[in-house]
Amino acid sequence: MTARPDPLNDDDRFMNIALEEARIAAYAGEVPIGAVAVIGSEVIARGHNLRETLNDPTAHAEMIVIREASVKLEQWRLTDVTLYVTIEPCAMCAGAIVLARVPRVVFGARDPKAGGGGSVFQILQEPALNHRVELASGIKEDICSNILKDFFGNRRDRDKVEIN
Amino acid sequence: MTARPDPLNDDDRFMNIALEEARIAAYAGEVPIGAVAVIGSEVIARGHNLRETLNDPTAHAEMIVIREASVKLEQWRLTDVTLYVTIEPCAMCAGAIVLARVPRVVFGARDPKAGGGGSVFQILQEPALNHRVELASGIKEDICSNILKDFFGNRRDRDKVEIN
């Protein structure tokens, strides 16, 4: 149960589950980003962005998954969890990942406008903080990115929707 | 209701309420940080750190107050809210403040180890993001800081407690 997912065999598989969550978000009119928390080969939490549905600015996919995993594990330290997310975490989510002591994050596409995993801030690997996160990126990058592009492309004429 | 608090007359008053929240946290064995959300001269949400009580790594005072204010206002954009917090927000909380479009943050003492309002990161005023926050700091700084120092001083021999 405490073994890590195997990057070679498992990263694609778990990113596909995060992508399923992103599609559920899109269907509900939410910015399509999904996330999954994994211990060993078991999904312990999955979720997607729910900002509009919950009227909650903090309801990003990663936050929902971190909170659900903490409830399930009955502890705030998620030291055995690998977190998969379709898009690079923003500053808030990157901060939460560090606070939760998540050891490894796998994300799909970069967010050059607001990413907190190296694009705008490097919160996940800041030497000054008391925890640093192992990072992998580019897993199913095009699919993760295209779901967002399609969503904003479709909506451009109707609403102005902001990713963050 | 949409008027801002008056910095000269109101900042001390609302920081005192945030300090009350910090004391409630200390009493419960939580890292003593408190926050208040204000519109005009009305407190619309108040809260303190609840990480240990809720087993939730995201349960910082600012997050609790932002979420409570969003529920109360039935919207995720907190464009009329001034947020008071006893200690400089961390990366997660600073990110959430930007996501919620909070226009002004007033904090007491800096957090040189993890602050996201200029100390380790400057998330609240990053030109690349789509929102920048007006900042005031140093309000009741010594009291805000001493509550934390006393808490960690008292606990040093018993537990190892981390602020973040």
Side-chain angles (χ1 to χ4, degrees):
Chain A
M1 180 70 168
T2 55
R4 288 216 194 166
D6 172 10
L8 279 181
N9 292 311
D10 295 336
D11 280 357
D12 274 15
R13 180 158 73 91
F14 290 122
M15 189 58 84
N16 276 334
I17 300 175
L19 278 164
E20 282 176 17
E21 288 291 331
R23 289 184 194 106
I24 297 169
Y27 190 78
E30 296 278 3
V31 173
I33 299 175
V36 187
V38 174
I39 299 182
S41 60
E42 191 185 339
V43 171
I44 60 157
R46 49 186 290 172
H48 55 267
N49 181 33
L50 284 170
R51 181 181 61 178
E52 310 294 334
T53 307
L54 300 179
N55 273 330
D56 179 352
T58 76
H60 282 189
E62 302 94 313
M63 302 296 281
I64 287 164
V65 162
I66 286 171
R67 300 180 77 212
E68 190 180 318
S70 300
V71 167
K72 208 165 264 184
L73 300 173
E74 296 180 341
Q75 55 177 24
W76 60 261
R77 286 182 189 84
L78 304 181
T79 47
D80 292 323
V81 166
T82 298
L83 184 77
Y84 293 84
V85 56
T86 56
I87 304 291
E88 180 184 354
C90 73
M92 171 184 71
C93 294
I97 287 163
V98 171
L99 292 170
R101 315 287 191 262
V102 171
R104 181 168 180 256
V105 167
V106 181
F107 69 81
R110 290 216 162 266
D111 178 3
K113 286 187 183 168
S119 290
V120 176
F121 306 103
Q122 181 42 286
I123 293 164
L124 296 173
Q125 300 183 325
E126 166 57 49
L129 299 184
N130 57 8
H131 177 73
R132 276 154 300 281
V133 179
E134 189 187 319
L135 264 185
S137 62
I139 312 296
K140 300 202 165 274
E141 181 176 0
D142 290 346
I143 304 174
C144 292
S145 161
N146 285 335
I147 288 181
L148 267 184
K149 281 182 195 154
D150 289 350
F151 181 79
F152 286 109
N154 287 337
R155 294 187 67 127
R156 196 161 298 143
D157 301 326
R158 291 190 283 138
D159 310 301
K160 193 175 173 289
V161 183
E162 299 147 301
I163 178 171
N164 271 311
Chain B
M1 180 72 169
T2 55
R4 289 214 192 166
D6 171 12
L8 279 181
N9 291 311
D10 295 334
D11 280 358
D12 274 15
R13 181 158 74 90
F14 290 122
M15 190 58 84
N16 275 335
I17 300 176
L19 279 165
E20 283 177 16
E21 288 291 329
R23 289 184 193 106
I24 297 170
Y27 189 79
E30 296 278 2
V31 173
I33 299 175
V36 187
V38 175
I39 299 182
S41 60
E42 190 185 340
V43 171
I44 60 157
R46 49 186 290 171
H48 55 268
N49 181 33
L50 284 170
R51 181 180 62 178
E52 310 294 334
T53 308
L54 300 180
N55 273 330
D56 179 352
T58 76
H60 282 190
E62 302 93 311
M63 302 296 280
I64 287 164
V65 161
I66 285 171
R67 300 181 78 214
E68 191 180 318
S70 299
V71 167
K72 208 165 264 187
L73 300 173
E74 295 180 342
Q75 56 178 24
W76 60 262
R77 286 182 189 84
L78 304 181
T79 46
D80 292 321
V81 166
T82 298
L83 185 78
Y84 294 83
V85 55
T86 55
I87 303 290
E88 180 183 354
C90 73
M92 172 184 70
C93 294
I97 287 163
V98 171
L99 292 170
R101 315 287 191 264
V102 172
R104 182 168 180 255
V105 167
V106 180
F107 67 83
R110 292 217 160 263
D111 178 3
K113 287 187 182 168
S119 290
V120 176
F121 306 103
Q122 180 44 283
I123 294 164
L124 296 174
Q125 299 183 324
E126 166 56 50
L129 299 184
N130 56 9
H131 177 74
R132 278 154 299 280
V133 179
E134 190 188 319
L135 265 184
S137 63
I139 312 296
K140 299 198 166 278
E141 182 175 359
D142 290 347
I143 304 174
C144 292
S145 162
N146 285 336
I147 288 181
L148 267 183
K149 281 182 195 153
D150 289 349
F151 181 80
F152 287 109
N154 286 338
R155 296 187 66 128
R156 197 161 296 144
D157 302 326
R158 291 191 283 138
D159 310 299
K160 192 174 173 292
V161 182
E162 299 146 301
I163 177 172
N164 270 311

